[in-house]
Short mmCIF file of all heavy atoms in Angstrom, two decimals:
data_model
loop_
_atom_site.label_atom_id
_atom_site.label_comp_id
_atom_site.label_asym_id
_atom_site.label_seq_id
_atom_site.Cartn_x
_atom_site.Cartn_y
_atom_site.Cartn_z
N MET A 182 -67.53 61.39 30.58
CA MET A 182 -67.67 59.97 30.85
C MET A 182 -68.63 59.77 32.03
O MET A 182 -68.46 60.36 33.08
CB MET A 182 -66.30 59.38 31.15
CG MET A 182 -66.32 57.92 31.42
SD MET A 182 -64.62 57.34 31.55
CE MET A 182 -64.92 55.63 31.46
N ILE A 183 -69.61 58.94 31.84
CA ILE A 183 -70.62 58.68 32.87
C ILE A 183 -70.18 57.45 33.66
O ILE A 183 -69.97 56.39 33.10
CB ILE A 183 -71.99 58.44 32.21
CG1 ILE A 183 -72.31 59.57 31.29
CG2 ILE A 183 -73.02 58.15 33.25
CD1 ILE A 183 -73.47 60.40 31.59
N PHE A 245 -78.29 50.10 38.10
CA PHE A 245 -78.04 50.88 36.89
C PHE A 245 -76.72 51.62 37.00
O PHE A 245 -75.94 51.67 36.04
CB PHE A 245 -79.18 51.87 36.63
CG PHE A 245 -79.06 52.56 35.30
CD1 PHE A 245 -79.62 52.01 34.18
CD2 PHE A 245 -78.37 53.74 35.18
CE1 PHE A 245 -79.50 52.63 32.95
CE2 PHE A 245 -78.24 54.38 33.96
CZ PHE A 245 -78.82 53.82 32.85
N ILE A 249 -73.76 51.11 34.30
CA ILE A 249 -73.49 52.20 33.36
C ILE A 249 -72.00 52.50 33.25
O ILE A 249 -71.52 52.88 32.19
CB ILE A 249 -74.29 53.47 33.76
CG1 ILE A 249 -74.42 54.41 32.57
CG2 ILE A 249 -73.65 54.20 34.90
CD1 ILE A 249 -75.47 54.01 31.63
N ALA A 252 -70.56 49.91 30.77
CA ALA A 252 -71.29 49.73 29.52
C ALA A 252 -70.59 50.44 28.37
O ALA A 252 -69.95 51.47 28.54
CB ALA A 252 -72.71 50.26 29.65
N GLU A 253 -70.74 49.85 27.20
CA GLU A 253 -70.27 50.47 25.96
C GLU A 253 -71.49 51.09 25.31
O GLU A 253 -72.51 50.46 25.14
CB GLU A 253 -69.69 49.41 25.02
CG GLU A 253 -68.51 48.66 25.57
CD GLU A 253 -67.28 49.52 25.65
OE1 GLU A 253 -67.13 50.43 24.82
OE2 GLU A 253 -66.47 49.28 26.55
N GLY A 254 -71.39 52.32 24.96
CA GLY A 254 -72.50 53.00 24.33
C GLY A 254 -72.24 54.49 24.31
O GLY A 254 -71.26 54.98 24.89
N SER A 255 -73.11 55.21 23.66
CA SER A 255 -72.91 56.65 23.55
C SER A 255 -73.15 57.32 24.89
O SER A 255 -73.93 56.86 25.72
CB SER A 255 -73.86 57.23 22.50
OG SER A 255 -75.18 57.18 22.96
N ALA A 256 -72.47 58.43 25.08
CA ALA A 256 -72.62 59.19 26.32
C ALA A 256 -74.04 59.73 26.46
O ALA A 256 -74.58 59.82 27.55
CB ALA A 256 -71.60 60.32 26.37
N THR A 257 -74.65 60.06 25.33
CA THR A 257 -76.02 60.57 25.35
C THR A 257 -76.99 59.51 25.84
O THR A 257 -77.87 59.79 26.66
CB THR A 257 -76.43 61.04 23.93
OG1 THR A 257 -75.47 61.99 23.46
CG2 THR A 257 -77.80 61.65 23.95
N LEU A 258 -76.83 58.30 25.35
CA LEU A 258 -77.69 57.20 25.78
C LEU A 258 -77.49 56.89 27.26
O LEU A 258 -78.46 56.68 28.00
CB LEU A 258 -77.41 55.96 24.93
CG LEU A 258 -78.39 54.79 25.05
CD1 LEU A 258 -79.78 55.20 24.62
CD2 LEU A 258 -77.89 53.62 24.23
N LYS A 259 -76.25 56.91 27.70
CA LYS A 259 -75.97 56.67 29.11
C LYS A 259 -76.56 57.76 30.00
O LYS A 259 -77.15 57.49 31.04
CB LYS A 259 -74.46 56.59 29.36
CG LYS A 259 -73.80 55.35 28.83
CD LYS A 259 -72.32 55.41 29.17
CE LYS A 259 -71.56 54.22 28.69
NZ LYS A 259 -70.15 54.30 29.08
N ARG A 260 -76.41 59.00 29.57
CA ARG A 260 -76.94 60.12 30.35
C ARG A 260 -78.46 60.05 30.40
O ARG A 260 -79.07 60.26 31.46
CB ARG A 260 -76.48 61.44 29.77
CG ARG A 260 -76.94 62.64 30.59
CD ARG A 260 -76.26 63.93 30.20
NE ARG A 260 -74.90 63.92 30.75
CZ ARG A 260 -73.79 63.92 30.02
NH1 ARG A 260 -73.85 63.93 28.72
NH2 ARG A 260 -72.61 63.93 30.58
N ALA A 261 -79.09 59.73 29.28
CA ALA A 261 -80.55 59.60 29.27
C ALA A 261 -81.00 58.48 30.20
O ALA A 261 -81.97 58.62 30.95
CB ALA A 261 -81.04 59.34 27.85
N GLY A 262 -80.28 57.37 30.17
CA GLY A 262 -80.61 56.27 31.07
C GLY A 262 -80.45 56.64 32.53
O GLY A 262 -81.28 56.28 33.37
N ALA A 263 -79.38 57.36 32.84
CA ALA A 263 -79.15 57.77 34.23
C ALA A 263 -80.24 58.72 34.71
O ALA A 263 -80.74 58.59 35.84
CB ALA A 263 -77.78 58.43 34.36
N VAL A 305 -84.07 51.91 27.61
CA VAL A 305 -82.72 52.44 27.40
C VAL A 305 -81.68 51.42 27.86
O VAL A 305 -80.66 51.21 27.20
CB VAL A 305 -82.55 53.80 28.13
CG1 VAL A 305 -81.09 54.22 28.16
CG2 VAL A 305 -83.40 54.86 27.47
N PHE A 308 -80.97 48.81 25.27
CA PHE A 308 -80.06 49.28 24.22
C PHE A 308 -78.63 49.37 24.72
O PHE A 308 -77.69 49.09 23.97
CB PHE A 308 -80.52 50.63 23.67
CG PHE A 308 -81.72 50.53 22.79
CD1 PHE A 308 -82.94 51.05 23.20
CD2 PHE A 308 -81.65 49.89 21.56
CE1 PHE A 308 -84.06 50.95 22.39
CE2 PHE A 308 -82.78 49.78 20.75
CZ PHE A 308 -83.98 50.31 21.17
N ILE A 309 -78.45 49.76 25.96
CA ILE A 309 -77.09 49.84 26.52
C ILE A 309 -76.49 48.45 26.64
O ILE A 309 -75.33 48.22 26.29
CB ILE A 309 -77.10 50.58 27.87
CG1 ILE A 309 -77.40 52.06 27.65
CG2 ILE A 309 -75.79 50.40 28.61
CD1 ILE A 309 -77.61 52.85 28.92
N VAL A 310 -77.26 47.50 27.14
CA VAL A 310 -76.76 46.13 27.32
C VAL A 310 -76.47 45.48 25.96
O VAL A 310 -75.51 44.75 25.80
CB VAL A 310 -77.75 45.29 28.15
CG1 VAL A 310 -77.39 43.83 28.14
CG2 VAL A 310 -77.80 45.82 29.58
N ARG A 311 -77.31 45.78 24.96
CA ARG A 311 -77.07 45.22 23.63
C ARG A 311 -75.78 45.72 23.03
O ARG A 311 -75.14 45.03 22.23
CB ARG A 311 -78.23 45.57 22.70
CG ARG A 311 -79.47 44.77 22.96
CD ARG A 311 -80.56 45.08 21.99
NE ARG A 311 -80.13 44.78 20.63
CZ ARG A 311 -80.72 45.27 19.56
NH1 ARG A 311 -81.73 46.10 19.68
NH2 ARG A 311 -80.29 44.95 18.36
N ALA A 312 -75.36 46.94 23.41
CA ALA A 312 -74.14 47.52 22.86
C ALA A 312 -72.88 47.01 23.58
O ALA A 312 -71.78 47.25 23.12
CB ALA A 312 -74.19 49.04 22.95
N MET A 313 -73.07 46.34 24.71
CA MET A 313 -71.91 45.85 25.47
C MET A 313 -71.26 44.67 24.75
O MET A 313 -71.95 43.81 24.20
CB MET A 313 -72.33 45.42 26.87
CG MET A 313 -72.75 46.58 27.76
SD MET A 313 -73.37 46.06 29.36
CE MET A 313 -71.88 45.48 30.14
#
Side-chain angles (χ1 to χ4, degrees):
M182 181 173 193
I183 307 244
F245 188 89
I249 200 79
E253 299 288 330
S255 70
T257 305
L258 191 62
K259 289 181 180 182
R260 183 167 284 115
V305 169
F308 286 112
I309 290 172
V310 170
R311 285 183 60 199
M313 291 175 71

